[in-house]
């Protein structure tokens, strides 16, 4: 694309930051509103789980497809469609008359959300061709997630307490409309010269596996693990995965390349992403219900109590990035595992005591926030370590998908445990996720030769090798 002015690049960065703010703020705000939604719509704990997981499953399933579609049809065009769907879905969520409608509108939100995050990254890479400027822009863009973690709980508490739970969706509408206008005026159109081909069968198998597994986990406490529908869903999920692996291995351009998982560093990063975001999704879900339903706090008081967790989530990511750049991912990953483990264990101790030790709970929140604040930068670095350069974009996209899968599973598992009456087990499950990050991080970052990296996928077609460049790297 032609060289853009400094002012225009700054406006493009602002638009991309607004998009990630929409997607990330929506989750943190909504968690604080869950008890109010439960009271108003008269829904159960599984209903609350579906309010969150219907969004996350759609997002996780379609992230890679949205990125490749934008490369083919035009990133600006797909980005605009995503903003329209997300903003319209938010407005509809605020009007939902019943739980079923809210879940359906959340899925419409997610359909738009999956077109925002990966496409915004591709727009940034295209608008900032100089590596140093691009690194700064991506750093600012990523820092917005930390801002949403810090501001989301309190902002959600204020909105719920003053205007009701529907107001948390109103907030998205003016931000989305402003982003739409700025995109039309300032964001240039771009496409990849050789976009990836679509993989509809692989896409359907991914959706089936995630949807069936999540449904089984959420509904099993009420129906029973041996209920025919639960057994059928678990079997269908396993069958979808069993079909997906050999099918993707036969494709020249698979949606998810199974050969990438031969790299211990990549497999470790994927597992750690699932564990970290399972812990986060479960931690936010469990705390919102605990503080408001068990402790009787208001939505605003809940947001304030979560500040010790939110502040490290804002402060630690830049520090983690510097450590990864100077010393590698091992130290931040170990700190992340220790922080999440300690946070989960202390939360279990604080919520088990009859006197509800507030100081111990605040320390638990701070340690969990510290651990989560250190986890993102090393996961991304570890995901691409040891892989060929032309596979970096695909690896980063799969790592992003793994985060959403982890969030969906964390909410499903922790919600199922709480619905079964084992609230203490929920905290120990989160602790287990921290221990898994600690163990996998220690193993996957051991010094080793690069022999584990998969080589180029042999092509079954006769044309020459596809060029490697920024557009190829971001096509996922």
């Amino acid at each position: 694309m032609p060289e853009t002015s400094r002012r225009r690049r700054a406006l493009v960065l602002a638009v991309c930051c607004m998009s990630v703010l929409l997607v990330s703020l929506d989750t943190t705000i909504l968690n604080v509103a869950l008890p109010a939604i439960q009271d108003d719509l008269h829904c159960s704990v599984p209903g609350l789980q579906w309010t969150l997981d219907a969004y996350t499953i759609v997002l996780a399933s379609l992230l890679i497809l949205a990125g490749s579609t934008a490369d083919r049809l035009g990133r600006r065009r797909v980005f605009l469609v995503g903003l329209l769907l997300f903003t319209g879905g938010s407005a509809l969520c605020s009007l939902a008359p019943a739980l079923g409608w809210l879940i359906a509108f959340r899925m419409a939100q997610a359909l738009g959300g999956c077109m925002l995050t990966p496409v915004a990254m591709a727009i940034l890479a295209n608008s900032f061709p100089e590596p140093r400027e691009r690194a700064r822009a991506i750093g600012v863009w990523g820092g917005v997630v930390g801002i949403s973690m810090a501001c989301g709980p309190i902002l959600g508490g204020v909105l719920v307490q003053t205007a009701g739970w529907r107001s948390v969706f109103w907030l998205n509408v003016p931000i989305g409309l402003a982003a739409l206008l700025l995109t039309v005026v300032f964001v240039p159109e771009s496409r990849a010269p050789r976009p990836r081909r679509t993989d509809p069968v692989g896409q359907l198998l991914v959706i089936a596996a995630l949807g069936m597994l999540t449904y089984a986990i959420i509904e099993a406490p009420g129906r029973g693990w041996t209920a025919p529908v639960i057994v059928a869903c678990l079997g269908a999920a396993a069958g979808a995965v069993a079909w997906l692996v050999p099918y993707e291995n036969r494709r020249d351009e698979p949606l998810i390349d199974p050969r990438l998982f031969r790299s211990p560093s990549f497999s470790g990063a994927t597992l750690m992403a699932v564990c970290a975001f399972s812990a986060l999704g479960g931690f936010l879900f469990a705390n919102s219900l605990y503080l408001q339903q068990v402790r009787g706090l208001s939505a605003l008081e809940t947001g304030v109590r979560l500040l010790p967790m939110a502040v490290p989530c804002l402060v630690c990511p830049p520090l983690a990035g510097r450590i990864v750049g100077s010393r590698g991912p091992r130290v931040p990953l170990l700190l992340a595992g220790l922080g999440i483990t300690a946070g989960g264990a202390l939360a279990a101790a604080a919520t088990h005591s009859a006197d509800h030790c507030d100081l111990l709970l605040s320390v638990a929140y701070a340690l969990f926030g510290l651990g989560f604040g250190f986890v993102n930068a090393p996961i991304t670095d570890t995901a691409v370590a040891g892989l060929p350069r032309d596979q970096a974009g695909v690896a980063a996209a799969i790592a992003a998908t793994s985060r959403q899968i982890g969030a969906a599973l964390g909410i499903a598992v922790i919600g199922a445990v709480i619905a079964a009456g084992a609230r203490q087990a929920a905290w120990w499950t989160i602790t287990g996720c921290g221990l898994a990050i600690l163990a996998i991080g220690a193993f996957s970052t051991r010094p080793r030769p690069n022999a584990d990296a998969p080589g180029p996928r042999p092509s079954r077609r006769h044309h020459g090798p596809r060029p490697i460049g920024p557009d190829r790297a971001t096509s996922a």
Side-chain angles (χ1 to χ4, degrees):
M1 63 170 261
E3 186 68 22
T4 55
S5 69
R6 187 180 186 89
R7 176 175 173 271
R8 185 168 183 176
R9 289 198 300 272
L11 289 167
V12 170
L13 175 59
V15 171
C16 293
C17 288
M18 291 168 75
S19 73
V20 75
L21 181 67
L22 280 171
V23 175
S24 56
L25 192 63
D26 187 75
T27 302
T28 53
I29 283 184
L30 189 58
N31 268 281
V32 177
L34 289 176
I37 293 173
Q38 186 176 28
D39 291 341
D40 187 35
L41 300 183
H42 310 291
C43 58
S44 61
V45 171
L48 294 179
Q49 291 171 268
W50 279 118
T51 302
L52 298 173
D53 269 351
Y55 177 91
T56 310
I57 291 170
V58 173
L59 200 65
S61 301
L62 300 178
L63 274 173
I64 300 175
L65 176 64
S68 60
T69 301
D71 285 345
R72 181 177 300 103
L73 301 181
R75 293 160 183 154
R76 177 176 175 269
R77 179 181 300 174
V78 171
F79 192 72
L80 283 169
V81 173
L83 286 170
L84 279 170
L85 285 171
F86 193 92
T87 305
S90 298
L92 290 172
C93 285
S94 70
L95 302 173
L99 180 66
W101 286 106
L102 179 60
I103 292 172
F105 296 150
R106 287 280 290 164
M107 294 174 73
Q109 258 192 315
L111 190 59
C114 75
M115 301 180 193
L116 298 181
T117 304
V119 180
M121 179 64 75
I123 289 172
L124 282 180
N126 195 70
S127 300
F128 292 83
E130 200 276 316
R132 183 173 296 181
E133 278 196 349
R134 182 167 63 243
R136 291 198 195 102
I138 291 174
V140 173
W141 181 76
V144 174
V145 178
I147 294 174
S148 73
M149 286 292 299
C151 300
I154 292 181
L155 185 57
V158 171
L159 289 171
V160 172
Q161 194 155 319
T162 57
W165 66 266
R166 297 178 189 275
S167 62
V168 303
F169 295 107
W170 299 343
L171 185 67
N172 295 332
V173 176
I175 298 175
L177 291 176
L180 266 170
L181 178 61
L182 291 172
T183 301
V184 169
V185 176
F186 295 108
V187 175
E189 183 61 281
S190 63
R191 294 177 176 85
R194 298 291 298 272
R196 292 167 59 85
R197 294 187 301 167
T198 58
D199 181 6
V201 175
Q203 187 66 67
L204 288 173
L205 290 173
V206 168
I207 293 172
L210 288 178
M212 294 294 180
L213 178 61
T214 305
Y215 180 88
I217 294 173
I218 289 177
E219 298 296 331
R223 297 174 179 265
W225 285 99
T226 58
V229 66
I230 301 300
V231 174
C233 286
L234 291 173
V241 173
W243 186 3
L244 178 69
V245 174
Y247 176 80
E248 296 291 85
N249 266 325
R250 292 193 298 269
R251 287 184 59 85
D252 286 331
E253 294 180 351
L255 181 73
I256 298 174
D257 189 349
R259 295 173 69 252
L260 292 176
F261 293 91
R262 296 179 187 175
S263 165
S265 59
F266 180 78
S267 296
T270 302
L271 288 172
M272 286 185 289
V274 171
C275 290
F277 279 77
S278 291
L280 177 66
F283 198 82
L284 290 173
F285 186 85
N287 271 291
S288 182
L289 297 184
Y290 168 74
L291 291 174
Q292 295 186 59
Q293 294 184 342
V294 177
R295 298 288 302 276
L297 302 182
S298 67
L300 178 57
E301 290 170 326
T302 297
V304 172
R305 289 294 181 93
L306 290 173
L307 262 181
M309 181 188 78
V311 172
C313 286
L314 176 63
V315 173
C316 292
L319 178 59
R322 293 192 195 98
I323 297 174
V324 170
S326 60
R327 301 186 60 182
R330 185 176 180 85
V331 171
L333 283 175
L334 296 180
L335 289 173
L338 286 171
I340 292 174
T341 300
L346 286 179
T351 57
H352 182 66
S353 60
D355 56 351
H356 302 296
C357 181
D358 288 338
L359 177 61
L360 188 60
L361 195 59
S362 295
V363 173
Y365 291 164
L367 287 172
F368 185 91
L370 183 77
F372 189 79
F374 272 104
V375 84
N376 266 306
I379 281 178
T380 303
D381 182 84
T382 306
V384 300
L387 294 178
R389 182 177 176 271
D390 65 315
Q391 292 178 312
V394 179
I398 294 175
T401 302
S402 301
R403 292 179 174 97
Q404 299 301 326
I405 292 172
L409 292 179
I411 293 165
V413 171
I414 297 302
V417 170
I418 292 174
R423 193 178 294 271
Q424 283 302 112
W427 305 115
W428 292 115
T429 303
I430 294 167
T431 303
C433 289
L435 289 171
I437 295 169
L438 190 61
I440 298 168
F443 173 77
S444 64
T445 57
R446 293 182 305 168
R448 57 164 59 87
N450 288 333
D452 62 295
R457 172 179 284 269
S459 176
R460 293 176 174 82
R461 292 177 293 174
H462 296 292
H463 58 66
R466 294 174 64 182
I468 296 172
D471 281 303
R472 175 80 184 277
T474 58
S475 65

